[in-house]
Amino acid sequence: MTAERRALASEPEARVRITTEESRLIQEIVEGYCGVTHGLDSGFFLERRVGPRLEHLGLSSYTEYYHYLRSGPDGHAELVTLVEQLTTHETYFFREEYQLDAFREEILTDLVDRLGSRKRLSIWSAGCSTGEEVYTLAMILLDDGRFQDWHVRIVGSDISREVLAKARAARYSERSFRTTPPETIARYFEADGDYRRVADEVRDLCSFAQINLLETERYRILGSCNVIFCRNVLMYLAAEARSQVVDAFYDRLAPGGWLLLGHSESLLNVSTRFELANLEKDLVYRRAR
Ligand SMILES: C[S@@+](CC[C@H](N)C(=O)[O-])C[C@H]1O[C@@H](n2cnc3c(N)ncnc32)[C@H](O)[C@@H]1O
């Protein structure tokens, strides 16, 4: 039994059973809104996650709930709340260290070489959750030292306004620091009760925006990017949504720009537009120069 399933099993059993057809209809509506499909084929998971919403709204069946989502007065707001229940926001500072080494040791040098005359760097963390990834990248750039007199912009985006509020607050509990070196904590964080707050010099490089990755037209607000991190997001999306999003990433990247995915994600059967770069520390994707 996985940890996620164990946690679900310990939640109170749903009073109303979901049918296969109801499950399919709710999945369809969620997938149409944000592309997320991973795990939603499990009636058990849906009952545990959607059941409390039914009770909260005083509805007696998942069919009623489906109609509420589709055409209820607050249907869209409810869909946003539902997606919050169905998605995972797991993240922490310095996640997937070997990939960050590739970024630190190889990609940054490429960026300095190619962009050094203009000294402008734009990085997008797509699906950044509570912001640890965004601040990690800023700390890496500050440690590097070569970007001190550059115009650096690191934008984190997510579909969830709840996680973005936490990202903007920049205040984290111990579980976000499971792989953060002590010297980094000492340099870039200030103690704040049981929490730690990200220092202003790091925050100054970062901003956040609410973007549903399926709304590819919205990517325009980001301008052209030199690096896109989209880690541990595509794995939750349906195949069609994945291709659509990755295609739009390609258009958003400047020539020679880099795309970094999570360690269990690849562009196999998703897109053939990117080059695969075999770096010493990792395999990553890039738009041709
Ligand atoms: C597991 S977290 C990944 C966080 C971080 N990138 C990391 O690797 O640590 C996945 C995030 O993707 C977001 N997400 C899922 N579907 C999305 C969509 N269609 N548009 C934008 N964000 C989405 C979720 O809200 C969640 O915060």
Side-chain angles (χ1 to χ4, degrees):
M1 208 187 230
T2 63
E4 193 177 4
R5 212 167 158 82
R6 255 196 314 276
L8 274 179
S10 68
E11 292 175 19
E13 213 175 296
R15 282 205 222 116
V16 187
R17 289 271 166 250
I18 194 165
T19 66
T20 311
E21 179 58 7
E22 286 170 332
S23 172
R24 189 189 65 74
L25 288 171
I26 291 175
Q27 275 177 64
E28 199 175 271
I29 215 165
V30 169
E31 188 181 320
Y33 169 57
C34 64
V36 170
T37 181
H38 175 82
L40 302 192
D41 49 352
S42 155
F44 178 75
F45 176 76
L46 283 179
E47 277 177 2
R48 289 296 197 280
R49 288 286 181 265
V50 190
R53 296 305 309 158
L54 233 71
E55 287 185 27
H56 176 79
L57 294 166
L59 303 174
S60 55
S61 75
Y62 290 92
T63 301
E64 273 182 40
Y65 183 72
Y66 167 74
H67 288 299
Y68 186 92
L69 286 176
R70 280 207 71 112
S71 44
D74 293 323
H76 183 73
E78 178 57 26
L79 182 56
V80 170
T81 304
L82 175 63
V83 166
E84 203 68 59
Q85 305 298 315
L86 299 178
T87 46
T88 162
H89 300 298
E90 167 71 2
T91 187
Y92 49 93
F93 292 107
F94 293 90
R95 187 176 192 179
E96 295 177 15
E97 187 62 36
Y98 67 95
Q99 188 180 58
L100 297 176
D101 283 344
F103 176 66
R104 201 183 268 123
E105 293 165 22
E106 298 173 80
I107 294 178
L108 288 187
T109 297
D110 167 74
L111 296 170
V112 168
D113 289 348
R114 287 189 305 109
L115 311 175
S117 56
R118 292 191 59 218
K119 298 195 172 181
R120 292 181 78 84
L121 176 63
S122 166
I123 300 178
W124 177 20
S125 160
C128 69
S129 186
T130 39
E132 287 90 328
E133 182 172 276
V134 180
Y135 295 126
T136 296
L137 299 174
M139 288 182 255
I140 291 174
L141 290 183
L142 287 168
D143 277 343
D144 183 273
R146 287 178 288 180
F147 297 90
Q148 264 172 0
D149 60 342
W150 285 47
H151 180 270
V152 172
R153 198 182 56 138
I154 308 172
V155 181
S157 73
D158 204 281
I159 193 171
S160 158
R161 291 188 195 280
E162 272 182 42
V163 293
L164 290 172
K166 290 185 181 157
R168 290 188 180 105
R171 202 167 163 264
Y172 296 97
S173 65
E174 202 51 49
R175 61 191 309 275
S176 294
F177 294 94
R178 62 193 91 158
T179 59
T180 313
E183 58 277 17
T184 302
I185 296 181
R187 176 157 181 212
Y188 294 118
F189 291 88
E190 292 149 16
D192 184 2
D194 289 340
Y195 295 81
R196 294 190 186 98
R197 189 184 286 278
V198 181
D200 286 349
E201 66 169 321
V202 179
R203 295 179 71 176
D204 287 347
L205 300 178
C206 306
S207 59
F208 295 92
Q210 195 268 345
I211 298 178
N212 176 353
L213 289 174
L214 249 50
E215 293 172 8
T216 52
E217 282 298 304
R218 281 263 293 153
Y219 297 11
R220 284 172 195 277
I221 61 166
L222 299 165
S224 163
C225 301
N226 306 110
V227 188
I228 298 176
F229 279 79
C230 185
R231 307 195 303 170
N232 308 301
V233 180
L234 295 180
M235 60 195 277
Y236 298 106
L237 304 189
E240 200 183 319
R242 251 182 238 177
S243 299
Q244 187 187 330
V245 166
V246 167
D247 222 36
F249 283 163
Y250 185 91
D251 296 332
R252 202 47 30 220
L253 277 173
W258 301 88
L259 172 65
L260 286 85
L261 305 178
H263 75 279
S264 58
E265 298 166 320
S266 87
L267 296 187
L268 197 69
N269 301 323
V270 177
S271 170
T272 52
R273 296 174 83 190
F274 287 83
E275 291 178 351
L276 188 59
N278 196 353
L279 302 182
E280 256 177 55
K281 292 282 170 70
D282 197 13
L283 278 176
V284 299
Y285 295 95
R286 95 182 287 190
R287 181 176 167 152
R289 274 172 278 189

